[in-house]
Every structure is written in C-alpha cells, then in structure tokens.
Amino acid sequence: MPNPLDKIKTQVKKLSAYTLNAPECRVKINQNENPYDMPEEIKTQVLARLANRPWSRYPTFVPVDLLVTMARFSSWRADGILAGNGSNELIQALLTVTVGPGTKVLISEPTFTLYRLLIEILGGEVISLPLTSDLQYDTDLIKHTVIEKAIDLVIICSPNNPTGGVIKDKDLIELLTDFSGLVILDEAYHEFSEHTVVPLLKQFSNLIVLRTFSKAMAMAGLRVGYLLSHPDLAREIAKAKLPYNLNFFSLTAAIVTMEHFDLLAPIINKLIAERERLFTALSQIPGLQPIPSQANFILTKTSISPSELMAKLQAKDILARDVSRYPMLNNYVRFSVGTEKENNELIETLQEIFTNHPIVGQNLPLN
Ligand code: PMP
C-alpha cells in the first residue's frame, strides 16, 4: 500500500505544528491579550450595525469602508493596505508570494515562532541570527549579514515577542537604505511602545508593516490584522489572500473600534503604566530578573525552573507562558500585563513562591 504521507513535503513532516496547550485559569496572562476587554459602548454599536445587515450576503469583495478607515487611522494610503483574518493570515500571504526553495529569509531569534514555521513549509531557507546577550537586536550583525549572505527578506518583530525589545528607527533606516531586499516589520505590539514605523513607508518602498487588532485593540477573538506597504507590493500580496477572508462581523467591529479609539486609548495607557509597575515589582523579587519591555508582556528570568514556576502559578489559578524552549531563553517565562487586580495577584503570588523557595537564586544562575 502506498503511504499517503509520502505526498506531504519532506520539510513539513520534519516540523512541529504551532500549538498552544493551555489549561483554563482565572488569571490568564499567557497570550498578550488586552485583559480589559472591549468597551461596552463599542460592542453595542457593532451589534446594532450587524442587526441591520443581511447575513445571507457575502461581505463586499474589497472591504473599502474598512480599508478607508484603516488608512485614516494609520495615516497611510488605502490602496497600500490589506486586511486579514488576523495578521497571521497576512504573514502567510506575504511569505507565500515571496518565499520558495532558495529564498533566504533572515530572522533574529528568539522571536515569534510562526515566521520560521511558514518559511520552512514554503521551502525557504531561514538564516537565524541570535539576539545580543541582553536580548536586543544585533543591528550591526543584521546589516552585515544581509549583504554578506545575499538575503532576500528580513523579518523584524518590534517590539519583539517574546523579549519586548525594539529596533531603533535609525537602525531600521540604515537597513532599509543599504539593503535591496524586503524588510517586514511586525509591529503587533506597537501601541504599547507609543511608536510606529508607518511614516517610513513614504520613503522606503521595500518596507512592509504588519499590525493587528488582537492586542491593544482588544479584538483577539474576532481575528483582524492589516498589512501596510507600497500599493504595488500590496497588489501582489493580495493575490495569495483568500477571497472574503474577513467576515463582516469582524470587519464591522474593526471599523467601529477605530472610530471610537478614544475609548480604548485610556485602557492602553493604563496597560503601559501597569507594565512599568509590574516591571518594578518583579525586579524587587529575589530570584526574578525581568527584561525591560516596550510591549504588554514582560520576559522574566527565573531562578526556579520555568516548568516548576508555571506549575506553582497554575496551582494559584494563574496561567503565564513558559518560553523556555525558545533559543536563548531556557530560564525564562513571559507574563502578559493583566488588569491592575491581576497584576497585584501575580506579584503577591510570586513574592510568596520565591520567599518560600528553599534554594532561591541558587539552583539556576541568573546571569
Ligand atoms: N505577530 C506577533 C509578533 C504576535 O505575537 C502575534 C500573536 N501572538 C501575531 C503577529 C498574530 O496576531 P493575530 O492575532 O493578528 O494573527
């Protein structure tokens, strides 16, 4: 009998699937979601608009209203924007039209694991550079390697998931200037860094920016992301996007959310302030060493093994993220910034765990 699996690409069979095995916990700080949920006023408006629309009809082929609202919201042109079912879908579409056997894609790891997975599925070559020892982008090494290795594409996640570091505009501009390939800048967490690279699109036609509604915009459950680039690039990438990829529920919610961003802005500011408060509290717990973050999560080195720490937190109904399998991060966990109350609970629980741990700070070196 022929084995049907013989027809699956060899490189795919070697890969592990992107999965998340997460138990239910009361305090959920494992996926960098907005813990405050969408303001009620926005939910009510979305539901009213949906009630007035026939559900039996497809969404419009090109979601013009959404793209025009995104253009106004991001200060970029509508014909240079694509909307997707989460930014994941756009990462996939973008890599589908650019990556094949022989394509060299440079990433700095640890970073968001989906990039490597998709590049490998498509048969491209991942050129991986480490972050610096303090987990920042090694921009000199990146600039040097893109030329030396004749790289086609560079993917930079800024703020980076799971480390929280950013690339400076100056370094990004130098890279965009000297390098003739494409630079993909995933700014899924940009609101928390109070910075965006979108203004650089005017100057650099080799820049592609990715954004999402899943984090600051409090819409992870509805799956909306967008891509911003030169219109010629957007037109090509659109060819790999499925028709009607965005359902009108999500599309409507994204429009109303942008129209009422004034209701979300204070929540985002609150999360930024909470991140700073959480950072200070974590750095005062012996056995923990948080890494400064520009996102809504804090990568933290722990003297208790990550799996043991996760188990102790879960016993208190707190779900954080064990990132110890990422390169360079074998002693690390990641805490998403929760509500003020959740952060207090996390801090108190960690203080208790580390105070009661008999060999605190000794079983794993902190540096
Ligand atoms: N980029 C980064 C850096 C992320 O961390 C995530 C989600 N974890 C995504 C993209 C995907 O987000 P979306 O929900 O928009 O698909």
Side-chain angles (χ1 to χ4, degrees):
M1 275 289 279
N3 184 349
L5 288 180
D6 289 347
K7 300 296 177 200
I8 304 293
K9 294 178 188 174
T10 315
Q11 75 260 23
V12 171
K13 282 190 281 189
K14 283 191 209 147
L15 296 169
S16 313
Y18 182 94
T19 54
L20 182 67
N21 179 14
E24 292 261 314
C25 278
R26 194 171 31 81
V27 178
K28 187 176 180 305
I29 47 171
N30 65 330
Q31 284 188 285
N32 306 335
E33 297 147 317
N34 189 325
Y36 286 105
D37 201 12
M38 187 63 88
E40 208 50 49
E41 200 177 322
I42 295 180
K43 285 189 176 178
T44 309
Q45 273 213 29
V46 173
L47 294 174
R49 287 197 202 180
L50 288 167
N52 290 328
R53 191 218 188 269
W55 289 23
S56 60
R57 302 293 178 184
Y58 278 104
T60 45
F61 192 78
V62 176
V64 180
D65 291 355
L66 175 67
L67 298 178
V68 167
T69 313
M70 283 172 162
R72 215 176 298 128
F73 186 68
S74 62
S75 306
W76 183 237
R77 43 194 295 180
D79 59 355
I81 298 181
L82 297 177
N85 197 315
S87 59
N88 282 345
E89 189 201 19
L90 297 167
I91 298 171
Q92 184 183 44
L94 162 58
L95 294 177
T96 302
V97 302
T98 52
V99 177
T103 313
K104 292 182 186 170
V105 189
L106 185 148
I107 57 176
S108 297
E109 290 181 305
T111 192
F112 186 40
T113 54
L114 191 69
Y115 311 140
R116 174 183 275 279
L117 182 74
L118 291 173
I119 296 161
E120 290 184 344
I121 288 173
L122 292 163
E125 187 184 347
V126 175
I127 310 290
S128 174
L129 298 180
L131 296 178
T132 58
S133 57
D134 57 351
L135 300 172
Q136 301 303 311
Y137 280 108
D138 192 337
T139 44
D140 286 341
L141 183 62
I142 295 173
K143 282 181 264 181
H144 173 79
T145 309
V146 292
I147 307 295
E148 189 199 50
K149 296 236 161 113
I151 296 295
D152 297 294
L153 257 72
V154 177
I155 307 178
I156 292 172
C157 183
S158 180
N160 186 41
N161 177 14
T163 56
V166 294
I167 186 166
K168 292 193 197 80
D169 270 2
K170 175 182 156 291
D171 289 317
L172 180 61
I173 289 168
E174 280 174 21
L175 177 65
L176 286 162
T177 307
D178 298 343
F179 170 58
S180 56
L182 298 178
V183 177
I184 297 150
L185 199 297
D186 184 346
E187 57 174 34
Y189 300 94
H190 77 96
E191 294 93 337
F192 303 108
S193 69
E194 300 174 272
H195 180 69
T196 174
V197 301
V198 165
L200 297 179
L201 285 167
K202 279 203 185 80
Q203 200 183 336
F204 297 102
S205 58
N206 57 339
L207 173 65
I208 299 174
V209 182
L210 290 159
R211 284 183 168 184
T212 181
F213 278 68
S214 298
K215 313 296 176 183
M217 305 297 277
M219 269 182 45
L222 298 187
R223 316 296 304 121
V224 178
Y226 56 124
L227 175 152
L228 308 96
S229 72
H230 189 283
D232 291 348
L233 275 178
R235 210 171 299 120
E236 295 305 320
I237 299 162
K239 294 177 185 171
K241 208 171 56 66
L242 293 179
Y244 311 110
N245 57 330
L246 210 50
N247 68 78
F248 62 74
F249 195 129
S250 303
L251 191 154
T252 306
I255 294 174
V256 177
T257 303
M258 285 183 280
E259 287 171 353
H260 292 280
F261 185 68
D262 56 311
L263 296 175
L264 271 180
I267 297 176
I268 297 169
N269 289 336
K270 171 80 180 163
L271 286 168
I272 294 171
E274 278 298 296
R275 174 188 70 210
E276 295 308 310
R277 185 175 75 87
L278 181 60
F279 180 86
T280 306
L282 293 175
S283 45
Q284 286 163 358
I285 298 175
L288 286 180
Q289 192 177 306
I291 307 300
S293 168
Q294 293 289 297
N296 66 334
F297 51 81
I298 302 179
L299 181 74
T300 306
K301 198 169 192 179
T302 159
S303 65
I304 299 177
S305 81
S307 57
E308 192 184 338
L309 179 56
M310 291 290 293
K312 285 177 188 290
L313 287 170
Q314 275 170 37
K316 300 282 183 180
D317 229 357
I318 298 175
L319 181 65
R321 185 73 157 254
D322 181 349
V323 290
S324 59
R325 291 235 274 275
Y326 284 68
M328 303 178 81
L329 302 184
N330 56 335
N331 300 338
Y332 287 84
V333 293
R334 191 190 70 193
F335 303 115
S336 305
V337 178
T339 62
E340 185 175 347
K341 188 164 165 282
E342 288 172 332
N343 298 330
N344 286 340
E345 197 172 327
L346 173 68
I347 294 163
E348 280 162 29
T349 308
L350 287 169
Q351 280 165 343
E352 220 176 273
I353 292 172
F354 281 85
T355 312
N356 296 331
H357 198 258
I359 43 170
V360 63
Q362 284 172 24
N363 52 344
L364 286 174
L366 270 176
N367 284 305

